[in-house]
Structures are given as structure tokens and as C-alpha cells.
Amino acid sequence: MNIAFYSAAAGMMAYQNKLDVTANNIANVNTTGYKSKEVSFQDLIYTDMNTKVEGEHKVGHGSKVTAVDTVFQQGVLERTDRELDFAISGKAYFAVDDGSKTRAYTRDGAFQIGLNQGTAYLTTESGDYVLDGNGARIRIPFLPGTNTPDISSIQEKIGLYTFANPFGLEDIGGNLSRATADSGVAALVPNTEQNRLISGALESSTADTATEMVHMIEAQRAFQMNARIVTSADEVEEIVNNLR
């Protein structure tokens, strides 16, 4: 089989990955705190061509996906005026207990009150427990003599965590990430201007429909072009075989 076939097949696989990532971004355009993903490509090895023409001549063997990186930029903070909604202005994350042995982290601050054996806790919409600065579940404090949550006390309890290399975080689904050796351990940071916790607001997704549709069209056309090369290379190979 000729080089064109394998090079184009490698391109098809790479751009299929690009299409998958772009589709996931589009699906999360309205997901609170979602950070869009971006695909990085790299050339495969080159082969030196033995020709009589002076100079260096190489032939490529296609491309591959080297990484799917998270684009860390601040999403728009949208006012909801719901007291249990929290947004982070900065690079910090909320820590949550999702029932596994290790903590998970999220930028989604759409919290609610969850009950466990009669005790009220601060949880995410999916029921995971939000953690404080000591890594403990946050019990909901109420104003004296009422059933009204003490929002200022809750805000003081919520832990904010940053990472030396947030690009190393591992996406585990459900708008959650987990720390890895590449990201480094989570570091507790104070609620300051650098990483500010805002009540009554949520951070919108950084995925933009128009931008992602452009990426989708680019990836589709690149995939189709490589598919045509595969078909042409296969037809040429068939012709060569029939001449033998």
C-alpha cells in the first residue's frame, strides 16, 4: 500500500478526534463553568527521499493528535440573584466529595441544600458534597430561629483551590476534574481579588457556538479531503495490482 493511503488514514483519525472534541464543546455551550477544549496536532515522522535533485527532500506520513488541552479563560459572570449560586472570578476551583476516594474539582457553583440523616449540607446539583478549606463537608448554618440559610457564613466556609499546572487536570465527566501528577496537588487559596467568590452569580461556559461551528466545518472539510485521498490511493493500488 502506498504512503498516500496511510498518511491520509492518519489524517482522518486525527480530524475525527477534532470533530469529537468540537462536538463536546458545542454540547456544553450552556454548561455552567465549562472550559472549552482545543486539539493540538503534530506531524508524524518524515522519510528522506533518495533523489538526484540537489537539496534535502522529505516525504511526510500524516499527522496525529498530541493533546486535548483545556482553554483556561474567565467565563462571563452572570447574575442570578439566587443566594446558593456562587461564581469564581479567578483560576480557583471548588472541591467536592463525589463519593470516590479522591476529591474532585469543578467551576460549577450552582449549589443546593442536601439532607443526609437529617443534617443539611451544601451540595452540587448532582448531589456531590461541597468541601471547605479543611476538606470537610459543609454543614448549612441557619439564621437564629429561622429556616433561612446563613449565606455569609456559607460563603466563608467554601474552600477555593488552585493548581500549579491546571492543564494537567484530568476530566472525569459530569463537569468535574481530578488532580494528577501533572497538575500538582490542590493548594487552598484565600477569597481575595485574585480568586474572588461571588454569591448570586454563575460563570457561563467559555464554549462559543459560532466559534465551535467554524471549527466543526474546518475539521469536516479536512476529514473529507483525507477520505478522498484514501479512496484515490486505493483505486491506484487496485489498478497497479491488475497490471501485474
Side-chain angles (χ1 to χ4, degrees):
M1 197 66 71
N2 56 48
I3 293 175
F5 182 93
Y6 289 110
S7 297
M12 288 178 66
M13 290 188 288
Y15 280 103
Q16 181 60 61
N17 198 321
K18 170 73 172 178
L19 286 168
D20 293 341
V21 171
T22 304
N24 184 64
N25 285 340
I26 293 174
N28 286 282
V29 164
N30 295 317
T31 300
T32 301
Y34 176 79
K35 302 298 182 185
S36 61
K37 307 297 187 294
E38 189 175 78
V39 176
S40 298
F41 296 95
Q42 184 180 47
D43 292 341
L44 293 174
I45 61 173
Y46 285 82
T47 300
D48 291 324
M49 298 294 292
N50 185 14
T51 67
K52 296 181 179 179
V53 181
E54 293 184 2
E56 186 176 358
H57 299 274
K58 296 179 180 292
V59 60
H61 292 272
S63 61
K64 67 174 182 177
V65 172
T66 55
V68 178
D69 296 317
T70 301
V71 180
F72 288 97
Q73 64 183 46
Q74 179 70 53
V76 175
L77 303 185
E78 299 180 344
R79 178 62 61 179
T80 66
D81 294 325
R82 179 177 175 272
E83 291 183 327
L84 288 179
D85 284 343
F86 292 92
I88 300 174
S89 175
K91 299 181 179 180
Y93 283 78
F94 302 109
V96 301
D97 177 1
D98 64 345
S100 62
K101 294 182 179 180
T102 57
R103 297 180 193 172
Y105 299 89
T106 184
R107 294 277 297 191
D108 186 352
F111 299 148
Q112 60 186 11
I113 297 176
L115 293 176
N116 185 350
Q117 298 180 349
T119 302
Y121 292 94
L122 188 65
T123 69
T124 65
E125 287 186 322
S126 59
D128 299 330
Y129 295 97
V130 183
L131 303 180
D132 61 17
N134 296 317
R137 298 174 180 178
I138 298 175
R139 293 190 178 188
I140 298 293
F142 295 92
L143 295 175
T146 71
N147 292 323
T148 304
D150 186 345
I151 301 302
S152 61
S153 294
I154 292 174
Q155 185 166 343
E156 290 175 359
K157 292 175 179 288
I158 295 175
L160 299 179
Y161 297 85
T162 59
F163 298 87
N165 176 30
F167 294 98
L169 289 171
E170 175 190 5
D171 288 332
I172 58 175
N175 209 13
L176 298 175
S177 300
R178 208 175 300 284
T180 66
D182 292 332
S183 69
V185 298
L188 179 68
V189 294
N191 180 8
T192 61
E193 284 299 316
Q194 187 173 1
N195 290 285
R196 184 159 54 97
L197 187 61
I198 303 171
S199 176
L202 292 174
E203 181 186 16
S204 63
S205 171
T206 60
D208 175 69
T209 303
T211 300
E212 297 304 329
M213 288 304 298
V214 171
H215 292 167
M216 179 71 75
I217 293 171
E218 290 173 347
Q220 284 178 331
R221 290 180 176 174
F223 182 91
Q224 292 167 353
M225 181 188 69
N226 280 283
R228 287 196 293 269
I229 294 174
V230 167
T231 300
S232 298
D234 186 56
E235 291 174 349
V236 169
E237 191 70 18
E238 184 178 357
I239 293 173
V240 172
N241 288 333
N242 290 334
L243 292 176
R244 292 176 181 174

